[in-house]
Amino acid sequence: MSFTAPIQLPGLTLDPQWFRRSVFYEVMIRSFVDSNGDGSGDIAGLVSKLDYLQWLGIDGLWLPPFFDSPLRDGGYDISDYRAILPEFGSIDEFRDLVTKAHERNMRIVIDLPLNHTSDAHDWFQQSRADPDGPYGDFYVWSDTDKKYEDIRIIFVDTEESNWSFDPVRRQFFWHRFFSHQPDLNYENPAVHEAMFEIVRFWLDLGVDGFRLDAIPYLYESEEGNGEGEPKTHEFVAKLRKMVDREYPGRIMIAEANQWPREVAAFFGSEDEPECHMAFDFPVMPRIFYSLRSQTAGELIRVLSEVTEIPEGAGWGVFLRNHDELTLEMVSEEYRQAMYGWYAYDPRMRANIGIRRRLAPLLDNSRAELELAHALLFSLSGSPFLYYGDEIGMGDNIWLPDRDSSRTPMQWTPDRNAGFSTADPGKLFLPVVQSLVYNYALVNVESQLAQSRSMLHWVRNVIHVRKAHPAFGLGSLAVVPTNHESVLSFVRSYAGSSTQWGDAPERILCVFSFAHNPVSVTLSLLEFAGRRLNDLFGGAEFPTIGDDGSVTLTLGTQSFYWLHIGQAGADVY
Ligand SMILES: OC[C@H]1O[C@H](O[C@H]2O[C@H](CO)[C@@H](O)[C@H](O)[C@H]2O)[C@H](O)[C@@H](O)[C@@H]1O
Ligand SMILES: [Ca+2]
């Protein structure tokens, strides 16, 4: 893949591969900090916490939509792509956010739902009122709801059909998500142009990239299944060309909840690149499966599958995000097992997934939280943290839909968890007050004051990861073991000098999902005779035998990151 030289933006290091070295943080503006006491988080509030995020080691923010919206789908129902929802702030405040983030060498990636708008968008209002007008063909209209009948429904909890009848235009319109979110008609070149202009608008304001929301669903056909159809890929490649030509260095991230080969298609090819990054949906539920089943087999299987992606492209790895923990990428048998372990109360489910936060999912087990994060920070791809997970925030399953895990960030034990000075009844969502996760117990301030807190642990691991380019840029090779509960792989990177000199950096990662201590033998023939040292404290581990085997003991649900010494070296 060839890169046009990026233009250096003030404050940012010039690095065409910045996204592969970055640790990202998903922050919902509405949920983070309320600067003016109106009960809703806002841009100025986020700006006030940039120092905190920088201290944590965050290099990039992913901001879910903050545009004008009736907020019937957390902002993914946009009524004006160029306007900021007034309660979140203004364009000037957004400019200030970009400047202040860049001053800290932190990038801003914004969410771009390209597939659909809100039915309150002026385009839809004009489209339904005037079929022959300039927006008449902006949406997918039909006289019948019998088209594309094989295309699945995504929001199975609320939708019975992908078609809804519009009483104004007296036709059906197509929607892959809520019936208030009509799909745009990408068969219409004017829609392409309109979207390109919106992309340019935000790039001109200095954003560093886009998460392309629900990207597989742009086109539908009778022959295909409406997911990643050839014309969808053509559009994404065309968008990439424009971004590379006009805004080199800015990135596109695919949100495609699909199998590895289908997701990988969103990277495009060397000649026809599409996205720089794509979220790894198949690996995520398998982390949760391994934690409860005490087996590493499913993770080993997906990690062993070689999915070729273009040179320079990268995966995005995550544990949780603002949506339900989707189980679309596991078999029915595994899905049922996971519902049993993680969503024993039907209230915990949403669509095909589980609407809970990380800490409650893992029953607030520190060992499991550390193990899950150690995977997040060492798997192939850039890690995306979800706001609040760094302190083990809880959720509120009594709230509707995915609001259960979008509650206000817990900063202090004071009123409204330090999120807002508003009357508590005025908050957009109540703060978590459950027995275990009550904001008086779980908050940033108290965790800053405890050196062994989850927050300090997460920060430390982030900094260790960032000291080793193999994690961001290296390859991953699964290591055979003799224990079904153990996952092991080697991350290797030969590209640049490290604290150990110019020799390739190799890191052995070992994870035990067993609920009791284990002894495991690894087979590392290629590294016979090499020394192993712990990446955190430097402690020396058993040297790999001449036959390539090494036996390690691991405590309950624990892990190691070990530096593999150079051949013949007697120190590491
Ligand atoms: O705008 C509609 C939705 O778009 C994204 O959806 C994704 O989330 C779904 C689950 O909530 C998932 O099943 C689907 O595959 C994704 O495309 C966005 O992240 C959602 O918040 C939004 O409702
Ligand atoms: Ca506010």
Side-chain angles (χ1 to χ4, degrees), residues 131-319:
D132 299 320
Y135 298 97
D137 208 17
F138 254 51
Y139 295 86
V140 183
W141 294 102
S142 164
D143 290 328
T144 161
D145 59 357
K146 301 288 173 242
K147 283 171 80 176
Y148 314 139
E149 284 188 299
D150 292 339
I151 296 184
R152 75 184 173 112
I153 294 167
I154 297 168
F155 282 176
V156 287
D157 282 0
T158 50
E159 306 308 312
E160 285 176 357
S161 167
N162 286 322
W163 292 105
S164 283
F165 186 73
D166 178 50
V168 177
R169 181 153 158 163
R170 302 205 58 75
Q171 276 189 309
F172 294 91
F173 65 88
W174 179 252
H175 56 87
R176 288 309 301 272
F177 295 96
F178 290 121
S179 57
H180 57 75
Q181 286 167 318
D183 273 38
L184 286 158
N185 174 20
Y186 277 83
E187 297 287 357
N188 180 356
V191 169
H192 293 206
E193 234 357 90
M195 278 303 167
F196 273 41
E197 283 310 305
I198 287 157
V199 167
R200 289 187 179 104
F201 176 84
W202 289 101
L203 289 172
D204 286 340
L205 281 167
V207 305
D208 302 285
F210 296 95
R211 167 192 182 263
L212 303 183
D213 177 66
I215 196 64
Y217 313 114
L218 300 192
Y219 283 86
E220 41 284 323
S221 71
E222 292 298 350
E223 308 74 47
N225 64 358
E227 305 197 12
E229 302 227 353
K231 286 178 177 176
T232 296
H233 286 289
E234 277 168 33
F235 172 81
V236 179
K238 187 171 102 170
L239 181 62
R240 170 68 185 264
K241 264 196 195 90
M242 183 279 275
V243 171
D244 276 357
R245 195 175 52 243
E246 299 178 28
Y247 303 89
R250 320 291 180 96
I251 64 160
M252 294 166 29
I253 308 177
E255 191 237 2
N257 189 354
Q258 294 181 302
W259 293 103
R261 209 173 303 116
E262 293 162 330
V263 184
F266 282 100
F267 289 115
S269 61
E270 304 274 340
D271 298 335
E272 197 75 352
E274 294 184 27
C275 292
H276 302 77
M277 290 184 84
F279 285 104
D280 192 336
F281 277 91
V283 91
M284 180 275 297
R286 285 169 178 77
I287 296 175
F288 290 91
Y289 184 82
S290 298
L291 285 168
R292 285 288 175 277
S293 69
Q294 304 186 56
T295 61
E298 269 295 292
L299 267 176
I300 292 171
R301 196 173 62 71
V302 290
L303 294 177
S304 306
E305 273 170 25
V306 183
T307 311
E308 296 292 341
I309 65 171
E311 175 83 22
W315 293 100
V317 194
F318 62 102
L319 295 168

Side-chain angles (χ1 to χ4, degrees), residues 29-50:
I29 288 175
R30 198 181 192 201
S31 306
F32 209 48
V33 187
D34 170 15
S35 73
N36 60 356
D38 67 355
S40 165
D42 43 51
I43 294 172
L46 172 57
V47 169
S48 73
K49 294 296 181 186
L50 288 177

Side-chain angles (χ1 to χ4, degrees), residues 319-355:
L319 295 168
R320 290 295 295 113
N321 61 23
H322 66 287
D323 284 329
E324 70 273 21
L325 189 173
T326 167
L327 297 178
E328 287 180 32
M329 290 304 115
V330 295
S331 68
E332 186 54 31
E333 183 193 340
Y334 284 57
R335 193 175 297 143
Q336 289 311 323
M338 291 180 74
Y339 278 142
W341 290 321
Y342 292 113
Y344 38 86
D345 181 336
R347 188 173 275 282
M348 295 170 174
R349 302 185 189 179
N351 298 312
I352 302 173
I354 305 172
R355 55 186 204 103

